[in-house]
Amino acid sequence: MKPTHTFQSEGITAGYNNRTILHDVSVSIPSNKISIIIGANGCGKSTLLKTMARLIKQTAGQVTLDGKSILKIPPKQLARLLGLLPQSPIVPEGITVADLVGRGRFPHQTFLKGWTKKDYEAVAEAMDMMNITEFADQNIDELSGGQRQRVWIAMALAQQTDILFLDEPTTYLDITYQVEILDLLTDLNRKHGTTIVMVLHDINLSARYADHIFALHEGKLVAEGEPSKIITSKLIEDIFGLNCTVIKDPVSGSPTVIPIGRYHNNMRMYSLK
């Protein structure tokens, strides 16, 4: 079981190119749980994840890991604790699947020490989990978008960190693989206690797989908590501008958002006449 960590952002303000996207956001990541950040496009989901992962430096506030500013933690030490899968990772030219997944072991290696048995085992396990072992010797450029995404996730898994950040990990995947990936990440959390924080666009998959949800709107945290307690038609209308109804998922028991939409609402009103 992974150790418990205290990971917090305190009043952070951050953005890009002199444009502020996050405004005074404070969050405390539940340790050993799955947290998912939801919100409309451009609301600051990825910015929050990147700021907490030290890819973006906040202009106000601070991010702390176990009470210490992440800006003061040596990069390699931080990489042993925190793994990150960005939204659009850049594929190195001419690299094979096994080589890319193997890069996840970099934080655990030293200049004088080569690959260990544990390194090889971690890479093999990660590729097996993502069902990409058969592609080990293939060039990344030869794979489909969905296969590439699974390779990137495998690299993050091979890093074997206590905390794992994933920005849209189900991008390019059809619904079958989306559910499979989220099931595998849930296995990782339940079996090893890995703290997982994800950005997802699919609100119903978020509600199904999250232990804790952070809802952002226009760069501000507007709600957080267990999906069953915070996912309401009012919240969805507030953050997405979507008229909807929320029902209980008959499979998972989690909240399920049913969009109403103008066309079907008109049809409903017509049928009631």
Side-chain angles (χ1 to χ4, degrees):
M1 181 65 68
K2 301 287 187 183
T4 297
H5 293 282
T6 303
F7 204 160
Q8 298 175 315
S9 75
E10 302 170 11
I12 60 171
T13 297
Y16 307 88
N17 302 321
N18 297 319
R19 179 187 168 213
T20 299
I21 297 175
L22 293 178
H23 304 271
D24 192 25
V25 175
S26 297
V27 300
S28 182
I29 304 299
S31 192
N32 310 114
K33 301 289 185 181
I34 296 176
S35 297
I36 297 180
I37 306 169
I38 65 170
N41 290 339
C43 72
K45 301 185 298 297
S46 295
T47 303
L48 176 58
L49 205 68
K50 290 177 181 178
T51 304
M52 295 195 73
R54 205 168 69 177
L55 293 184
I56 298 174
K57 186 177 180 180
Q58 67 272 14
T59 56
Q62 66 174 342
V63 179
T64 59
L65 176 55
D66 296 331
K68 186 176 184 178
S69 170
I70 61 165
L71 299 177
K72 297 181 179 179
I73 301 175
K76 208 162 188 178
Q77 180 183 339
L78 183 64
R80 294 190 194 106
L81 295 172
L82 171 64
L84 171 68
L85 174 65
Q87 190 174 57
S88 301
I90 298 173
V91 180
E93 187 175 349
I95 192 170
T96 67
V97 168
D99 287 340
L100 183 58
V101 177
R103 292 194 176 193
R105 299 304 299 166
F106 173 74
H108 302 278
Q109 297 170 338
T110 63
F111 178 72
L112 297 176
K113 187 177 180 182
W115 274 61
T116 65
K117 180 181 178 182
K118 186 175 181 179
D119 292 326
Y120 287 108
E121 289 175 345
V123 170
E125 181 181 359
M127 289 198 296
D128 183 60
M129 285 182 68
M130 289 296 105
N131 196 26
I132 57 171
T133 303
E134 63 182 294
F135 306 129
D137 297 323
Q138 282 188 241
N139 193 296
I140 296 291
D141 296 333
E142 300 171 3
L143 304 182
S144 68
Q147 290 168 337
R148 288 188 190 188
Q149 189 69 2
R150 284 188 281 154
V151 174
W152 283 111
I153 296 173
M155 187 187 75
L157 296 182
Q159 200 170 331
Q160 292 187 329
T161 55
D162 296 344
I163 305 165
L164 185 59
F165 283 2
L166 304 109
D167 194 351
E168 287 294 333
T170 56
T171 298
Y172 307 120
L173 302 177
D174 61 36
I175 187 61
T176 300
Y177 282 123
Q178 288 182 44
V179 171
E180 181 180 328
I181 292 299
L182 292 172
D183 279 343
L184 286 169
L185 291 172
T186 301
D187 287 341
L188 184 68
N189 168 260
R190 302 297 188 256
K191 292 179 180 177
H192 302 288
T194 304
T195 298
I196 296 175
V197 184
M198 291 184 277
V199 169
L200 287 184
H201 276 297
D202 191 309
I203 185 64
N204 291 330
L205 287 178
S206 298
R208 175 177 279 200
Y209 284 93
D211 297 307
H212 194 91
I213 281 181
F214 296 102
L216 297 183
H217 179 61
E218 296 182 350
K220 297 181 179 180
L221 180 70
V222 295
E224 68 167 298
E226 297 175 18
S228 61
K229 294 181 179 178
I230 72 161
I231 300 298
T232 63
S233 55
K234 184 181 185 307
L235 177 70
I236 299 304
E237 184 169 6
D238 287 346
I239 65 177
F240 292 104
L242 177 67
N243 188 16
C244 69
T245 186
V246 176
I247 64 172
K248 188 175 182 179
D249 185 324
V251 175
S252 66
S254 60
T256 293
V257 175
I258 308 296
I260 294 176
R262 178 173 52 81
Y263 174 79
H264 291 94
N265 192 43
N266 289 342
M267 292 294 291
R268 175 175 172 271
M269 295 301 296
Y270 178 80
S271 67
L272 292 174
K273 291 181 180 179

